[in-house]
Amino acid sequence: MSNNNSIEVASNSIRKLWEKHGIKEPMRFLGFCLSMLPVPVIQQAGAALDRHLGNKEFERQLAELWAEIATVNELVSKVDTLEEAIQEIAKAIENSPDLEAKTSEFISKISQNQKEFSVLTENQSYQEIRNSIIHADISAFVARGGSTNVIHGSTVNSEKIHLHATDSSRNFVDGSTFQGSGGAVSMNGISTQGPISAQGSGIGFGAGGSISFGGNPNILSGNCPACNELLQVDKRELAKYSQVQCHKCKSVFPYKLPGA
C-alpha cells in the first residue's frame, strides 16, 4: 500500500517519537498510518501525533486497532525493523475490509487538516501520489510544460479539488476517489487536460477542460516474439518480476526495463 519513500520518512518520524516517549509496540501502527500520507504531510502529522500520545482515548483506540492487526498477522510484532513492520501491517489491512475502514477513519483523525494541499509539476517533470490519503479543505494538482501528475490508489478528502494541466501536460487518475461532505467522485484510468474541478459528487469543466479514458504514462507495450500478440503492462508492476508471460500463447520471456 505504501511506497518505499513514504515508509522511510514515516519510520524516521516514529523513531523521533520513540526517543521522547519510549518504544511502544503499537507505534508501529502509527508508522503505517503516517506512511499512507503524502511525504510533504508526514512530518506535520508526526508532530501532531506527539500531542495525541498523551490522550487516553487516543491511546485506547490505538491499542485496540493494534490488537486486531496483530491477530490478523502476528508478524507485525515479530519482524525486526519498523520498515518491515509497516509492510506487514499493510498486508493485514489489505486482507480485512473492516480493518481498512477503521484505519482510514483513524488516519483522518491524526492527519493534520490543512487549508490547502497542492502538487505543482513543471518543465517536463513527473510526480506521483500513490496509495495516499489526503485531508485538506482545498486540494490542487497542477501540471505545466509537458509534465505529468499521477494520482493512483489514493483518497482525497477535500471540499474543493482542482486538476489543472496545460501546455501538453496531463493529470492521470487511476483507482482514486475525490471525496467531500456532499458525496464522492471515483476515477479509474482517466486522463485530464485543462481545468477540471470535483466538488461533492460532481465534476466541473473549465474553458478547454476535458477528460479521456486511458493515457496511463506507465504503460509499456510490445509484441510477443512467439505469436506477435500485442502485450501491454504497467511498468510499476513489471518492476516486481524478472520475466513476462504472453496471455495468448503462454510463452514466458525474460525482460529488462528500459534504463535498468
Side-chain angles (χ1 to χ4, degrees):
M1 296 175 73
S2 307
N3 61 53
N4 290 335
N5 191 23
S6 62
I7 288 176
E8 181 181 355
V9 177
S11 296
N12 289 337
S13 292
I14 292 301
R15 289 188 180 99
K16 291 178 182 178
L17 292 176
W18 276 346
E19 291 175 3
K20 182 174 181 179
H21 298 275
I23 297 177
K24 300 177 183 178
E25 201 171 71
M27 284 191 187
R28 291 184 166 202
F29 174 64
L30 293 181
F32 168 79
C33 292
L34 290 181
S35 75
M36 292 297 294
L37 302 173
V39 170
V41 181
I42 290 176
Q43 291 181 335
Q44 294 175 327
L49 277 179
D50 190 31
R51 298 190 295 269
H52 284 301
L53 285 171
N55 183 292
K56 290 184 179 180
E57 176 61 19
F58 177 84
E59 292 188 345
R60 181 191 66 78
Q61 292 178 358
L62 175 60
E64 287 181 357
L65 277 168
W66 176 252
E68 286 190 52
I69 291 168
T71 299
V72 173
N73 183 359
E74 62 181 15
L75 288 177
V76 298
S77 59
K78 292 184 176 181
V79 292
D80 293 331
T81 69
L82 184 52
E83 288 81 0
E84 290 175 304
I86 289 173
Q87 292 174 336
E88 293 299 331
I89 292 167
K91 294 176 185 177
I93 292 171
E94 285 176 343
N95 292 326
S96 172
D98 181 56
L99 264 179
E100 188 172 6
K102 290 179 180 178
T103 299
S104 180
E105 182 180 356
F106 189 80
I107 291 173
S108 71
K109 294 178 181 178
I110 67 172
S111 59
Q112 190 173 16
N113 195 354
Q114 297 175 299
K115 289 292 182 182
E116 183 171 349
F117 175 81
S118 62
V119 173
L120 173 61
T121 308
E122 298 180 294
N123 302 322
Q124 299 182 334
S125 298
Y126 175 95
Q127 287 199 74
E128 183 170 328
I129 302 292
R130 185 173 176 84
N131 299 330
S132 295
I133 298 175
I134 298 166
H135 293 269
D137 292 343
I138 300 173
S139 292
F141 304 87
V142 179
R144 299 172 180 165
S147 298
T148 299
N149 286 321
V150 172
I151 308 165
H152 176 82
S154 297
T155 299
V156 182
N157 289 295
S158 297
E159 290 306 312
K160 293 183 179 180
I161 297 153
H162 302 290
L163 300 165
H164 198 103
T166 59
D167 304 323
S168 300
S169 299
R170 59 181 165 170
N171 289 301
F172 179 74
V173 188
D174 188 45
S176 296
T177 299
F178 301 111
Q179 187 170 314
S181 58
V185 175
S186 294
M187 293 188 183
N188 293 287
I190 297 290
S191 291
T192 77
Q193 292 183 314
I196 304 291
S197 63
Q199 189 168 0
S201 57
I203 297 177
F205 295 82
S210 66
I211 64 174
S212 59
F213 291 94
N216 184 349
N218 292 297
I219 287 292
L220 297 177
S221 61
N223 295 96
C224 173
C227 69
N228 206 41
E229 176 74 1
L230 178 65
L231 306 178
Q232 292 185 321
V233 66
D234 191 310
K235 68 182 181 183
R236 293 167 298 185
E237 295 301 315
L238 275 178
K240 303 175 185 177
Y241 306 100
S242 60
Q243 57 188 22
V244 62
Q245 183 179 49
C246 174
H247 60 265
K248 184 177 180 180
C249 70
K250 306 304 181 184
S251 298
V252 177
F253 304 96
Y255 74 90
K256 185 177 181 181
L257 285 173

